[in-house]
Amino acid sequence: MSPTRAKLPFIAYPTTAHTVPEPLGLILVISSWNLPFGLSIEPVIGAVAAGNAVVIKPSELSPASSALLAKLIPIYLDPQAVKVVPGDAQVGQQLLDLKWDKILFTGSPKVGQIVMAAAAKHLTPVCLELGGKCPAVFDHLSSSWDKKTAVNRLLAAKFGSCAGQACIAVDYALVEKKHVSELVDLLKAKIKEMFGDNPRELNTVARIVNKHNFSRLRKLMGDPSVKSTIVHGGSFDEHNLFIEPTIMVDPPLESSLMTEEIFGPFLPIITLDKIEDSIEFIKARPRPLAIYAFTNDDKLKKRILSETSSGSVTFNDAIVQYIAETLPFGGVGESGFGRYHGKFTFEMFSHEKAVMSRGFLIDFWFRFPPWNDHKLNLFKVAYRLDVIGIVLTVLGLKKSKIN
Ligand SMILES: NC(=O)c1ccc[n+]([C@@H]2O[C@H](COP(=O)([O-])OP(=O)(O)OC[C@H]3O[C@@H](n4cnc5c(N)ncnc54)[C@H](O)[C@@H]3O)[C@@H](O)[C@H]2O)c1
């Protein structure tokens, strides 16, 4: 929170300069249902630390969590500074009609467009935390320990958190053709270990959030061209909104499964001739929120970093980048813009005010009109702190025409 000193050119001497963070004012946080506390409270911590007042509009799809937030926040935080307004899209729309100083929206790209359009009316800046398709590049790992660890992490990132209903969940995997059957066998064995013979009976696989999303996912899987590529799982129970962890190998790239964000427990595996082809594959698609790569090949890592663009890159794990508050969290391109977490949240909700402070003692006479070449020459040499140039110009020994 303390001011940060800024360097100035010599010509500004004697002047001090610094930047001071000031609160933006009134913040609106609209969050999605799948991390109802984190996505609501984490922005509030930074916004309040930066001196703002905040209104949180949690999701109607997690009504119990939203009600709990609405009950607890006024008990523990100053209700004049932080308010929870639970409600659906209509409530969100009413809030968007008001003037805010910044809006942080977490949700789908479609609603992100609505938020941005509403904010534009008041010239309100926005941070959009959206989703998309996060790929996992799965290179051949020679050590069996590495392979086992990577498969565990891949599965946890796909089926573990909210059964894939997470913005940074692995959406699909890219694997070399010659290694795909080995990977599928390993995945099947590990799924059994993690979720049992009958995953529906175990409470470790989250249910799909509502009927609408369940039907959307069933439609993705029900596409005959996709269905025929299922190599594991594929069962569901509509009554319990349950979908079994499911793996497909090489579903058509133009199917909705491969063009839309999955946000559910399907893991399509796309095979490539060479793992390096994954770079072109990723580049040919919208920029993801996260890229994951399981590999020990430093050259491949370097290429992924320099040739692709994404909100984040994590090597040899997935989702864990979310918990590092020293790393900014946010998307790029279609996965959103703006970044937060830790100190970055404070910065996002602050305006960095530039402050310059001067005394009256020294003044450079050549800054004032009427201007001539001599004065402008002095400006030039003084700006560069060219002491010899200054002396020569003052003595009239250095003359150059300034156009
Ligand atoms: N980048 C991230 O941090 C992050 C985190 C979680 C989820 N997501 C993304 O969120 C999406 C899923 O979440 P969702 O289904 O809750 O998203 P959503 O866009 O349907 O809803 C998000 C929020 O917007 C509100 N809303 C909906 N319509 C509105 C309107 N017309 N006006 C104002 N507010 C409106 C909802 O009530 C909810 O609070 C996925 O795309 C996922 O990738 C992103």
Side-chain angles (χ1 to χ4, degrees):
M1 288 174 196
S2 51
T4 308
R5 249 195 118 103
K7 273 190 174 169
L8 291 172
F10 169 74
I11 195 135
Y13 182 82
T15 308
T16 58
H18 54 271
T19 52
V20 191
E22 70 173 20
L24 291 174
L26 193 53
I27 310 297
L28 174 63
V29 173
I30 300 181
S31 54
S32 74
W33 64 270
N34 61 334
L35 277 164
F37 296 106
L39 299 175
S40 301
I41 291 173
E42 174 123 30
V44 170
I45 296 168
V48 169
N52 300 280
V54 192
V55 168
I56 311 165
K57 209 297 279 168
S59 172
E60 71 280 18
L61 301 189
S62 47
S65 305
S66 300
L68 191 65
L69 278 174
K71 187 179 153 198
L72 295 184
I73 293 252
I75 297 175
Y76 294 103
L77 295 174
D78 177 359
Q80 301 279 32
V82 184
K83 267 193 166 53
V84 181
V85 181
D88 57 9
Q90 214 180 343
V91 172
Q93 197 63 61
Q94 284 169 353
L95 289 169
L96 286 177
D97 288 339
L98 307 174
K99 185 176 172 0
W100 304 89
D101 295 301
K102 184 134 192 180
I103 301 173
L104 168 62
F105 169 77
T106 304
S108 59
K110 202 179 89 205
V111 182
Q113 285 177 340
I114 296 172
V115 170
M116 208 165 155
K121 284 193 194 126
H122 302 288
L123 290 178
T124 297
V126 292
C127 167
L128 299 183
E129 294 286 341
L130 310 176
K133 291 180 89 61
C134 302
V137 178
F138 207 94
D139 194 5
H140 180 64
L141 299 162
S142 42
S143 127
S144 64
W145 170 259
D146 291 1
K147 219 177 292 186
K148 203 179 89 187
T149 310
V151 165
N152 276 341
R153 292 175 181 178
L154 177 70
L155 285 176
K158 178 75 232 189
F159 304 117
S161 26
C162 278
Q165 299 169 97
C167 56
I168 46 171
V170 169
D171 190 280
Y172 61 92
L174 297 166
V175 183
E176 272 187 10
K177 227 175 224 113
K178 59 177 183 271
H179 299 302
V180 72
S181 58
E182 186 198 4
L183 176 63
V184 169
D185 289 346
L186 267 172
L187 288 168
K188 282 183 185 176
K190 281 284 162 195
I191 286 177
K192 214 170 164 183
E193 230 178 275
M194 283 184 190
F195 307 109
D197 282 326
N198 187 355
R200 192 160 69 89
E201 302 303 321
L202 274 189
N203 268 336
T204 42
V205 180
R207 272 35 180 175
I208 305 308
V209 66
N210 60 8
K211 261 208 154 80
H212 169 75
N213 273 288
F214 183 87
S215 310
R216 179 185 63 79
L217 287 163
R218 257 194 73 184
K219 222 166 123 194
L220 290 185
M221 182 167 64
D223 174 344
S225 66
V226 167
K227 214 170 169 180
S228 61
T229 65
I230 294 177
V231 294
H232 179 83
S235 75
F236 52 84
D237 171 358
E238 185 160 5
H239 182 66
N240 282 302
L241 298 179
F242 168 82
I243 297 182
E244 186 183 0
T246 299
I247 302 173
M248 295 88 168
V249 174
D250 283 330
L253 296 181
E254 58 291 349
S255 63
S256 302
L257 181 80
M258 284 312 296
T259 53
E260 290 171 16
E261 179 182 9
I262 296 175
F263 216 62
F266 303 147
L267 177 63
I269 299 176
I270 304 300
T271 62
L272 306 165
D273 289 334
K274 292 193 287 42
I275 199 66
E276 287 78 10
D277 296 344
S278 54
I279 292 175
E280 280 314 311
F281 190 95
I282 294 169
K283 276 169 72 176
R285 288 165 174 76
R287 285 179 277 178
L289 187 57
I291 293 176
Y292 304 116
F294 294 85
T295 180
N296 286 323
D297 180 346
D298 287 339
K299 214 164 131 200
L300 180 63
K301 288 184 190 173
K302 229 181 188 161
R303 282 196 60 196
I304 290 172
L305 281 183
S306 61
E307 294 178 36
T308 67
S309 174
S310 57
S312 65
V313 175
T314 302
F315 293 116
N316 297 332
D317 210 334
I319 294 202
V320 290
Q321 77 276 15
Y322 185 81
I323 58 170
E325 57 182 43
T326 45
L327 283 175
F329 182 82
V332 60
E334 293 85 334
S335 52
F337 56 86
R339 51 191 209 155
Y340 75 125
H341 283 198
K343 177 80 188 297
F344 302 102
T345 317
F346 173 88
E347 285 162 3
M348 185 174 68
F349 291 127
S350 298
H351 161 61
E352 245 193 300
K353 185 155 65 182
V355 180
M356 211 173 194
S357 192
R358 308 207 67 203
F360 291 111
L361 199 59
I362 297 176
D363 213 4
F364 293 119
W365 56 272
F366 51 85
R367 64 177 272 197
F368 301 107
W371 289 296
N372 52 39
D373 284 350
H374 179 61
K375 284 184 175 180
L376 292 175
N377 261 327
L378 270 170
F379 240 123
K380 211 169 127 188
V381 286
Y383 195 89
R384 281 198 248 114
L385 191 51
D386 172 4
V387 180
I388 296 172
I390 295 171
V391 174
L392 293 178
T393 310
V394 168
L395 295 176
L397 299 173
K398 183 180 165 115
K399 285 181 189 156
S400 64
K401 255 225 157 334
I402 295 178
N403 298 319

